C-alpha cells in the first residue's frame, strides 16, 4: 500500500478514497445469494416504475415519497437512526419547523453513496445540484443524475454547455422545495470531509444552511471508486438489513452575503457569529478558491465543514477532487 501513501491525509493519515472492504460471506453465502435473487427483481421493478412512470404522474409529493421509500425498503434499508442538534429524542414535533430543512433552505450533505440522494428525496423532496471546485455556480440535476454521479469519475469543471446558476436563483425558482448541495463535489468512503466547493457562498444570507451527515451500517455501500455497480448491488441486496445514521446540525447562515461582511469582518462580528473553536485552516479549502475568498467567506465554509465532521465523527482532510482524480489513475492502472 506504499504506492497509495500520497493519497492519505498528511495530518491524520486518513485515506478517504479507498473502498470499504466487504466481510467474507463464509457459510452465509447461500443465504446472501438467496436474498440477492429475491430482491433484485423487486428492486428493478420498483425503480423502473418510479423513474419511468410514477415521477411523471401527478401523484403529489407524498406519492413520490412513498414510492421512494419502496425503493429504499426493497434492499432492506429499514432502520433510520435520526438525531438533531439541540433536540431531545421524542420531542422532535415541538421543534419541527426550526430544526429541520424547510422550503427555501439549503441542505449541505456529506457524499458517500447513491443512497444519499435517494434518502434525501424520500424525506425532503428537494432540488438536487452538482457542485464543482472551480466555480461558485451549481448545475441543477435530477434525482437519477444525483444517484448516478456517485458512480462516476469526479469532475473539476462543469460539462460544456451545462446551464449553471447560483443558489439564490434556485431558491427563487423553487420556493416550495429545499436545495441539496454536495459541497465535497465527489464521493468518499465516509472517513473524512474533503475541501469544499465555494458554491455554498452564493446562498442568500437569510437562507438556512443545514449540514447533514449520512453514514451507513454496513459501510460497504459507499462508492468512493467509480464504476462499482456490481459490488454495490451485491453489498446492498445480499444483507438482511441496512441502517442509515442521520445527523442534522443547527442551521448556519451565509453572513458573507451581508453588506458589512463583504468588505471585512470585524472581531466583534466574529465573536458573535462564530464559535472561536471553529477551524479556519486555509489548507482545507481548495487552493485556487482560498486566495479569492475573504475572511467571512472562509469562515462560513469552515463552519459548515466542521459541523459535518463533528456529525460524522470524522476529521477534515486536505485531499480534494484533484487528488481523487490522481488516485483513480493509480488505482485503475494497478488493477489492469
Amino acid at each position: 500500500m506504499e504506492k497509495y501513501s500520497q493519497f492519505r491525509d498528511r495530518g491524520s493519515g486518513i485515506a478517504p478514497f479507498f473502498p470499504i472492504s466487504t466481510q467474507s460471506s463464509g457459510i452465509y453465502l447461500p443465504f446472501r445469494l438467496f436474498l440477492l435473487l429475491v430482491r433484485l427483481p423487486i428492486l428493478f421493478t420498483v425503480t423502473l416504475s418510479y423513474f419511468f412512470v410514477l415521477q411523471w404522474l401527478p401523484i403529489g409529493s407524498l406519492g413520490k415519497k412513498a414510492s421512494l421509500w419502496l425503493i429504499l425498503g426493497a434492499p432492506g434499508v429499514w432502520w433510520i437512526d435520526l438525531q438533531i442538534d439541540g433536540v431531545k429524542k421524542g420531542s422532535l414535533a415541538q421543534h419541527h419547523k426550526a430544526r429541520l430543512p424547510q422550503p427555501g433552505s439549503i441542505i449541505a450533505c456529506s457524499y458517500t453513496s447513491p443512497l444519499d440522494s435517494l434518502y434525501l428525496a424520500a424525506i425532503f423532496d428537494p432540488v438536487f445540484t452538482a457542485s464543482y471546485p472551480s466555480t461558485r455556480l451549481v448545475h441543477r440535476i435530477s434525482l437519477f443524475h444525483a444517484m448516478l454521479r456517485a458512480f462516476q469519475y469526479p469532475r473539476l469543471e462543469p460539462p460544456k454547455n451545462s446551464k449553471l446558476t447560483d443558489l439564490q436563483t434556485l431558491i427563487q425558482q423553487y420556493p416550495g422545495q429545499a436545495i441539496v448541495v454536495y459541497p465535497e463535489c465527489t464521493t468518499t468512503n465516509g472517513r473524512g470531509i474533503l475541501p469544499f466547493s465555494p458554491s455554498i457562498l452564493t446562498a442568500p444570507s437569510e437562507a438556512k444552511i443545514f449540514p447533514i451527515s449520512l453514514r451507513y451500517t454496513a459501510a460497504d455501500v459507499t462508492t468512493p471508486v467509480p464504476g462499482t455497480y456490481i459490488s454495490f448491488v451485491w453489498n446492498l441486496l445480499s444483507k438482511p438489513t441496512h441502517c442509515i445514521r442521520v445527523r442534522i446540525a443547527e442551521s448556519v447562515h451565509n453572513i458573507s452575503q451581508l453588506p458589512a461582511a463583504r468588505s471585512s469582518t470585524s472581531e466583534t462580528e466574529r465573536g458573535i457569529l462564530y464559535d472561536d473553536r471553529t477551524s479556519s485552516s486555509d489548507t482545507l479549502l481548495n487552493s485556487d478558491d482560498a486566495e479569492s475568498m475573504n475572511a467571512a467567506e472562509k469562515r462560513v465554509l469552515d463552519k459548515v465543514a466542521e459541523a459535518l465532521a463533528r456529525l460524522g465523527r470524522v476529521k477534515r482532510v486536505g485531499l480534494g477532487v484533484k487528488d481523487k482524480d490522481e488516485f483513480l489513475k493509480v488505482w485503475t492502472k494497478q488493477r489492469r
Side-chain angles (χ1 to χ4, degrees):
M1 301 297 288
E2 184 178 349
K3 55 181 172 292
Y4 297 115
S5 60
Q6 67 191 83
F7 303 111
R8 292 183 178 273
D9 182 61
R10 293 182 179 179
S12 62
I14 295 172
F17 308 133
F18 285 78
I20 303 295
S21 59
T22 303
Q23 290 184 345
S24 175
S25 301
I27 61 174
Y28 298 103
L29 181 59
F31 176 66
R32 295 187 65 178
L33 284 172
F34 171 76
L35 287 178
L36 175 68
L37 294 176
V38 170
R39 287 172 168 175
L40 185 59
I42 298 175
L43 179 63
F44 185 76
T45 301
V46 295
T47 301
L48 288 184
S49 298
Y50 177 78
F51 285 107
F52 285 94
V53 180
L54 294 178
Q55 73 167 338
W56 308 110
L57 298 179
I59 59 177
S61 178
L62 289 178
K64 291 181 179 180
K65 290 181 179 180
S67 302
L68 292 172
W69 274 112
L70 286 177
I71 299 176
L72 281 170
V77 184
W78 298 330
W79 304 104
I80 309 297
D81 177 16
L82 173 64
Q83 289 187 19
I84 304 173
D85 276 2
V87 177
K88 296 181 180 180
K89 288 188 176 181
S91 61
L92 177 59
Q94 303 173 9
H95 305 275
H96 177 72
K97 291 185 178 181
R99 301 293 185 175
L100 289 176
Q102 297 294 310
S105 59
I106 295 170
I107 298 172
C109 188
S110 57
Y111 200 18
T112 61
S113 170
L115 295 178
D116 297 337
S117 301
L118 190 60
Y119 173 79
L120 292 176
I123 296 296
F124 301 110
D125 187 25
V127 173
F128 290 94
T129 64
S131 295
Y132 305 91
S134 59
T135 177
R136 298 190 179 201
L137 301 180
V138 296
H139 179 203
R140 181 183 177 275
I141 57 177
S142 64
L143 167 60
F144 181 78
H145 191 187
M147 296 173 62
L148 191 62
R149 277 177 59 87
F151 294 106
Q152 296 177 340
Y153 280 80
R155 299 186 68 106
L156 295 173
E157 298 180 354
K160 292 183 178 179
N161 302 322
S162 59
K163 296 182 179 179
L164 300 180
T165 186
D166 55 48
L167 296 179
Q168 184 169 2
T169 301
L170 281 178
I171 290 176
Q172 295 172 352
Q173 292 178 344
Y174 302 94
Q177 294 175 276
I179 310 296
V180 171
V181 177
Y182 295 113
E184 296 174 278
C185 305
T186 187
T187 54
T188 69
N189 56 19
R191 293 179 175 175
I193 300 297
L194 305 186
F196 275 12
S197 160
S199 58
I200 293 179
L201 299 176
T202 64
S205 58
E206 66 274 11
K208 293 183 177 181
I209 303 173
F210 287 90
I212 296 182
S213 171
L214 302 178
R215 300 190 69 183
Y216 301 92
T217 305
D220 54 11
V221 293
T222 58
T223 55
V225 175
T228 53
Y229 301 98
I230 296 177
S231 61
F232 172 77
V233 171
W234 167 256
N235 293 331
L236 182 66
L237 299 183
S238 66
K239 295 179 181 178
T241 61
H242 298 272
C243 176
I244 305 180
R245 180 178 174 270
V246 184
R247 299 293 184 267
I248 303 178
E250 293 183 2
S251 61
V252 177
H253 287 272
N254 180 19
I255 56 89
S256 68
Q257 289 289 341
L258 295 174
R262 290 181 180 179
S263 57
S264 62
T265 305
S266 68
E267 293 298 326
T268 303
E269 287 172 327
R270 293 176 183 176
I272 295 175
L273 296 172
Y274 297 101
D275 190 326
D276 289 336
R277 294 170 295 177
T278 299
S279 169
S280 59
S281 173
D282 290 346
T283 61
L284 298 180
L285 298 172
N286 290 303
S287 57
D288 294 338
D289 299 315
E291 297 178 358
S292 63
M293 295 181 193
N294 59 39
E297 290 175 330
K298 292 178 183 179
R299 293 180 75 86
V300 169
L301 293 185
D302 284 331
K303 185 80 171 180
V304 179
E306 286 293 335
L308 278 181
R310 174 178 56 82
L311 295 175
R313 298 178 182 178
V314 296
K315 294 182 179 181
R316 297 170 65 187
V317 298
L319 300 172
V321 178
K322 291 182 180 179
D323 299 289
K324 181 175 179 179
D325 189 51
E326 293 297 322
F327 165 79
L328 292 175
K329 292 178 182 178
V330 178
W331 180 269
T332 303
K333 183 178 179 181
Q334 293 295 328
R335 274 155 177 71
R336 286 178 179 175

